[in-house]
Amino acid sequence: MKSLIDRLYVEENLAQAPEVKAIAGRLGLEAEAVDDIRRVYAGINAAPDPVSRGKRTLLLTANRGAWLRRCPGTRYYTCCNYQILHIGTFCTMDCAYCILQAYFHPPVLQYFLNREAMAAELDSRLAQPEIGRIGTGEFTDSLIWEPWTDLNPWLVERFAAQRHCILELKTKTVAVDRLLSLDHRRKTIMAWSLNTPRIIASDERRTASLDARLKAAARCVEAGFPVAFHFDPMVLYEGCREEYRRTVERLFEMIPADQIVWISLGTFRFMPDLKDLVAARFQRSTIVYGEFVRGLDDKIRYFKPLRIDLYRDVAEWIRRYAPDVCLYFCMESEEVWQRVFGFSPSQYGGLPAMLDRAAKAHCDLEPEVRPGIMANEAAGS
Ligand code: SF4
């Protein structure tokens, strides 16, 4: 399939890196060497729609900052202590609600070539005995890089060689073919964001359909990978309950519950800056028009009782199929936890400990996790 990317740049001092030739060949493009990447940024900013331009422009560059970063949670909401491995930025798919449209200035696809520096920092983390949950799908989609780079097989094999950390590859694609035969040793969790077919069609351009995502997940299960799912962002619209119920049903028709490490739930939330971008770029999308309030972290969220009602329903449907699965909220308050699940993570050692226990239960990890009981047992579910 022809790639969307139609411009390829490389920082001049990296132009001879062997990966450049391989990526250019796979994309069928010449890599133009640039002495100053600000020239690339200026070209994107000058486009009529910089976000769309940035999705078609790939800049091969170096990461000069930290490779492992804390997920940017806030002190007001329960955060899971996830670590992001910063492999690159932005995405070729185009979701109306994607925070990355407003997060990067300018928004541009960047892939980092200085792998040795990544290896050094990652190896030092993997050598530590504490459980770590590390993912690449926060500043980009983990698997969009599959057709052009060897990064994911390299990561899967690196994580397979240790017993302290899991790698979560989070995606809305189906680009799993090359990963299936890898000797992953259950250290990589393949994860998909899920939504109703209606939201996928209206607000997730160029992503795989719900059924295609679930088929790819089922293939990963067959290949022995643990899997995870993220119902995030759930969107309120007329008829959404029935459609989320059907989406949950479809998930469990295709995936055995005991292979799922965790499922997260989150409702649509956004920084105020995003509203004008969504209105301009997704004229038929209605997601930014609803009963919203501004949260403690300044993000706009659905009015709390609306969030709680939807969470209760979706959690109940999931529990019917998977009473023991680790179900958690991304960025919700203790009150919401209490009102939906009847407990808060702090009663069971905190959300990081809950997720560490889930990882330990499904992945082949070595160290003892923090003491405590499974929150799901405590919830009597
Ligand atoms: S798939 Fe993820 S990273 Fe890509 S546009 Fe959608 S929300 Fe953003």
Side-chain angles (χ1 to χ4, degrees):
M1 197 172 71
K2 193 171 174 333
S3 164
L4 177 83
I5 296 167
D6 58 12
R7 290 185 198 167
L8 177 64
Y9 297 98
V10 58
E11 252 187 83
E12 199 170 57
N13 59 335
L14 297 166
Q16 298 314 316
E19 227 187 331
V20 175
K21 211 168 157 193
I23 294 172
R26 288 174 191 156
L27 283 168
L29 295 171
E30 283 290 320
E32 182 184 330
V34 283
D35 56 353
D36 185 347
I37 59 174
R38 285 174 300 186
R39 208 157 59 72
V40 178
Y41 295 166
I44 290 168
N45 279 330
D49 176 358
V51 174
S52 294
R53 184 68 257 157
K55 288 176 180 290
R56 309 175 97 93
T57 305
L58 175 58
L59 172 62
L60 304 177
T61 180
N63 179 13
R64 296 185 170 86
W67 290 89
L68 283 166
R69 302 173 180 203
R70 277 238 168 302
C71 185
T74 75
R75 67 196 163 97
Y76 301 109
Y77 296 100
T78 305
C79 178
C80 73
N81 271 357
Y82 195 70
Q83 277 187 298
I84 299 169
L85 180 63
H86 194 30
I87 56 165
T89 61
F90 215 33
C91 186
T92 48
M93 294 176 282
D94 201 4
C95 303
Y97 52 77
C98 181
I99 185 151
L100 302 181
Q101 300 172 90
Y103 190 81
F104 296 116
H105 301 281
V108 60
L109 266 182
Q110 297 184 109
Y111 177 74
F112 302 135
L113 293 170
N114 49 332
R115 179 97 49 98
E116 333 66 59
M118 183 204 290
E121 194 173 324
L122 186 58
D123 287 351
S124 130
R125 171 62 189 92
L126 298 182
Q128 291 165 28
E130 295 84 35
I131 286 193
R133 289 167 283 107
I134 298 174
T136 56
E138 300 299 315
F139 296 142
T140 181
D141 179 282
S142 298
L143 297 192
I144 58 161
W145 307 100
E146 266 304 280
W148 323 305
T149 78
D150 66 350
L151 176 68
N152 283 312
W154 182 88
L155 284 173
V156 170
E157 282 168 3
R158 209 152 196 105
F159 276 76
Q162 52 79 53
R163 297 194 65 199
H164 305 124
C165 296
I166 60 89
L167 169 69
E168 186 178 32
L169 296 179
K170 204 190 298 182
T171 192
K172 292 191 183 106
T173 76
V174 294
V176 299
D177 289 1
R178 274 196 319 170
L179 308 180
L180 297 176
S181 58
L182 298 175
D183 182 14
H184 54 80
R185 303 193 185 181
R186 289 185 75 85
K187 306 302 192 316
T188 296
I189 299 171
M190 301 298 295
W192 277 265
S193 305
L194 299 182
N195 224 311
T196 64
R198 182 189 304 256
I199 291 297
I200 292 174
S202 63
D203 290 278
E204 298 184 353
R205 289 178 191 151
R206 294 193 291 275
T207 64
S209 68
L210 174 66
D211 268 16
R213 291 179 208 183
L214 293 174
K215 275 182 199 147
R219 291 177 71 207
C220 289
V221 169
E222 255 173 56
F225 283 95
V227 290
F229 298 95
H230 301 280
F231 282 84
D232 196 358
M234 290 193 289
V235 178
L236 285 170
Y237 58 89
E238 208 181 316
C240 69
R241 280 188 160 58
E242 178 52 23
E243 293 182 15
Y244 279 111
R245 191 191 61 71
R246 180 70 197 122
T247 303
V248 169
E249 198 175 278
R250 194 76 191 117
L251 164 62
F252 290 104
E253 277 165 11
M254 297 191 64
I255 306 295
D258 63 355
Q259 295 304 308
I260 303 177
V261 185
W262 47 61
I263 298 177
S264 74
L265 304 179
T267 46
F268 176 48
R269 56 211 175 273
F270 57 101
M271 291 306 285
D273 293 0
L274 196 69
K275 188 169 180 178
D276 290 347
L277 255 176
V278 176
R281 298 194 63 249
F282 292 81
Q283 284 158 12
R284 286 200 294 219
S285 173
T286 55
I287 57 170
V288 285
Y289 311 104
E291 283 187 67
F292 293 112
V293 289
R294 195 179 281 242
L296 295 167
D297 56 357
D298 251 5
K299 281 189 187 155
I300 315 279
R301 291 171 152 75
Y302 292 121
F303 186 48
K304 197 187 294 171
L306 299 178
R307 305 204 302 271
I308 289 175
D309 276 359
L310 182 61
Y311 286 144
R312 276 187 179 143
D313 284 349
V314 174
E316 190 198 318
W317 297 325
I318 291 173
R319 286 277 177 244
R320 278 185 205 158
Y321 296 96
D324 299 324
V325 76
C326 176
L327 190 56
Y328 73 98
F329 291 123
C330 180
M331 307 298 287
E332 279 294 359
S333 62
E334 294 248 333
E335 182 197 344
V336 172
W337 276 85
Q338 282 289 357
R339 289 177 59 186
V340 177
F341 294 144
F343 68 90
S344 73
S346 57
Q347 291 169 248
Y348 302 106
L351 181 55
M354 277 175 56
L355 295 174
D356 288 352
R357 285 193 290 270
K360 171 95 165 141
H362 289 86
C363 307
D364 185 18
L365 298 179
E366 192 164 72
E368 285 304 309
V369 291
R370 285 160 245 176
I373 56 172
M374 291 292 285
N376 295 335
E377 292 163 21
S381 49

